[in-house]
Amino acid sequence: MKTKLYISLLSASLVAGMSSCDLDAPSVSALDAQSICTNVALADAAVMGIHVSFAETNSYRGRFLPYYGLNTDIEWINGNDGTKLPDEGKYDLATYNATGSNSQMNTDNNAYAKFYEGIERANQVIAGMRAGGKAETDRDMAQLLGEALTIRAYIYLDLIKGWGDVPARFEPITTETLYIPRSNRDEIYKQLLADLEEAENLCYWPGESKLTSSTERVNKAFVKAFRARVALYAGGYSQRADGVRLSNDAALNRTAMYEIAAKECKEVIEAGYAHLGAFVDNFKNLCIENTSVSGESMYEIPFSDGRGRVLYTFGIKHNAKDQYTQQAQGGVNGPLPTLWYDYDVEDVRRAITCVPYEWSKDLSPAGNAKQQITSLKKWCFGKLRYEWMKRIVTSTNDDGINWQVMRAADVYLMAAEAVNELQGPSAAAQYMKPILDRALPAAKASALLDTYSASKEAFFNGIVDQRAFEFAGEMLRKADLIRWNLLGVKLAEAREKMINLVNREGEYADLPSKIAYSYEQNEATKEDETLVIYGLNHGDTDDEVKALTADEKWVSTTWIDCDEAAGTSKLGDFVNGMPGYVYGLYGSNNPDQNQFWPIWDTFVSTSNGTLQNKDLR
């Protein structure tokens, strides 16, 4: 049963008077925080109050989740035909061209501000609990302190992912600390690793306590897995003032960071808290709001029924208020068209992740929509679907589905990556195997594992591929590519692949130009609503499309084509010498020189001269 995201009067008192834009005054005295945080019920309310910063209009809900992580070699924001660049808005955020005046972000209540609001809430709780001292003797209070430390670390990691070097605030604000400059992200990474090491010793395992009976609460397994993620980022590449490189801090050397990641992930797996069920079950559980800790999900940002835009942004597009939802939304972001064709045809993840249809605007007399073909340039993600929900969404923009921060598959693949780097593929294969076994038929899984295990390099390339197939649409890819120093390389490769696809050349030469489709009847409604499609697999032919459409139940349409002389294609009219949607992936920008967003002008201008963007993003 899903809980409600809330802020009680007690937790509100911790942040009363705090400005979301410049945090211009301490919010509460240390004595007040200490008093609140010496009682388990009050401390619990205060910890839950930190979560409110996730759900505010322009925080994770409406700005960070929809835009951070786009565009990569497997996912993009839908609708960018290249002619809109630069747009000073959402497309610039995704195409590595954001400026400080960006219209989506340059406000005093956007994600950057709300992240620091959440951090200040966490700082007050942590300071109060430490002053109260009860976490040293009371297990529930220890859990709550660990939870506050972990949530603060989670927010800080997203700050680094989005903005690079950012101000480090690990104590409640005072007059003396009101204005501070950016800090070296390495110092923040080291603090997060230390905080999470402390937190994992404070928190209960999943289900060990009522406080960890839901995936909406932090538990020891998540803390360990999240510490592994932080270590991989800290030990990886990123843009610095002098170029893209690894950290120069000896404490964050790659070997040490891989050792942390391997240790933490192996301990979660060996303790039995990395559950892998059927791939689709994880996403159905999200949609039916099953927050049991017995599934694959390890931690989710909790949104109440009327808050959060997860399906709005990542669900299959619904063009009308239909039998599945009273919200005509979804389809804002989607997979690159090449992703579908790059999966093995028998990979169970393919049809769940990539969807070539949306739900119609026109409804039947009974008020039902049906699936309709979209186009090569506008696939939908299918992991999250209104049609899997158990309740009707009645909000215009919010659906209340939780955002999944971590699931067990990530633990296995992080373990595989780290162990391969430290010991090689023979030791790492055991952690890759469960991912392949649930995705592919046994013979194919075994053969692919043998291919990956041929060398350390081959296994790493397998990690790069499998993290794409496993996590597309979950907004992990951009940060992965950055830490591997593959962002620019993979984005350039994605352009080449899309050009090959639209021309049906190279690896896509065996695809037909047309598809054929018909409908199957839904037995419950007795209406034809479900598409059956031919022509989306390697080896399908235009001759078979033509043969199928001899039956009037089948309809054909051109799916792939390109006329370079006319400057037209199924991936858009040509812009700057290439199909518009291909150009629109990152425009004329250099992704490796624009890995981070700038700190927005409104914060720079009110920082008393302490913040700047020059050479730091």
Side-chain angles (χ1 to χ4, degrees), residues 555-609:
V555 178
S556 69
T557 186
T558 299
W559 184 252
I560 304 173
D561 76 351
C562 181
D563 186 338
E564 190 168 351
T568 61
S569 81
K570 286 296 184 181
L571 287 179
D573 293 344
F574 275 50
V575 176
N576 284 6
M578 66 185 79
Y581 283 82
V582 177
Y583 175 73
L585 184 61
Y586 56 95
S588 58
N589 308 304
N590 183 337
D592 283 329
Q593 293 179 0
N594 295 277
Q595 291 183 355
F596 303 111
W597 291 329
I599 294 178
W600 315 115
D601 289 349
T602 187
F603 306 111
V604 173
S605 64
T606 57
S607 70
N608 203 27

Side-chain angles (χ1 to χ4, degrees), residues 272-402:
Y273 291 107
H275 306 293
L276 286 180
F279 183 74
V280 70
D281 287 350
N282 173 71
F283 303 104
K284 286 187 173 180
N285 281 336
L286 277 172
C287 291
I288 66 173
E289 301 171 308
N290 177 356
T291 60
S292 167
V293 293
S294 62
E296 183 170 347
S297 187
M298 300 182 74
Y299 175 65
E300 302 163 14
I301 292 177
F303 288 118
S304 65
D305 290 355
R307 209 65 180 149
R309 299 172 66 170
V310 174
L311 282 177
Y312 176 104
T313 306
F314 296 98
I316 297 175
K317 175 67 176 175
H318 286 249
N319 288 288
K321 298 177 180 180
D322 57 31
Q323 70 268 38
Y324 297 111
T325 180
Q326 290 301 298
Q327 181 185 97
Q329 298 293 358
V332 175
N333 301 327
L336 262 62
T338 48
L339 182 61
W340 167 271
Y341 299 101
D342 291 349
Y343 279 103
D344 184 281
V345 68
E346 294 184 278
D347 193 322
V348 301
R349 298 170 295 190
R350 181 173 77 151
I352 296 164
T353 303
C354 305
V355 173
Y357 65 80
E358 60 188 15
W359 290 90
S360 65
K361 183 176 182 179
D362 295 332
L363 304 180
S364 72
N368 294 337
K370 67 178 182 179
Q371 295 171 5
Q372 62 184 25
I373 290 290
T374 54
S375 66
L376 186 67
K377 63 178 180 278
K378 195 176 181 182
W379 290 68
C380 292
F381 290 124
K383 288 179 174 177
L384 301 172
R385 310 186 186 197
Y386 291 98
E387 45 270 38
W388 286 343
M389 293 182 68
K390 287 186 173 180
R391 61 177 171 83
I392 293 291
V393 174
T394 56
S395 167
T396 302
N397 293 326
D398 293 74
D399 47 74
I401 296 301
N402 287 351

Side-chain angles (χ1 to χ4, degrees), residues 521-543:
Q521 190 173 87
N522 182 315
E523 290 303 315
T525 64
K526 302 302 180 183
E527 293 189 1
D528 294 330
E529 67 169 35
T530 304
L531 277 169
V532 179
I533 306 171
Y534 174 86
L536 293 177
N537 292 328
H538 290 283
D540 289 350
T541 67
D542 283 308
D543 286 343

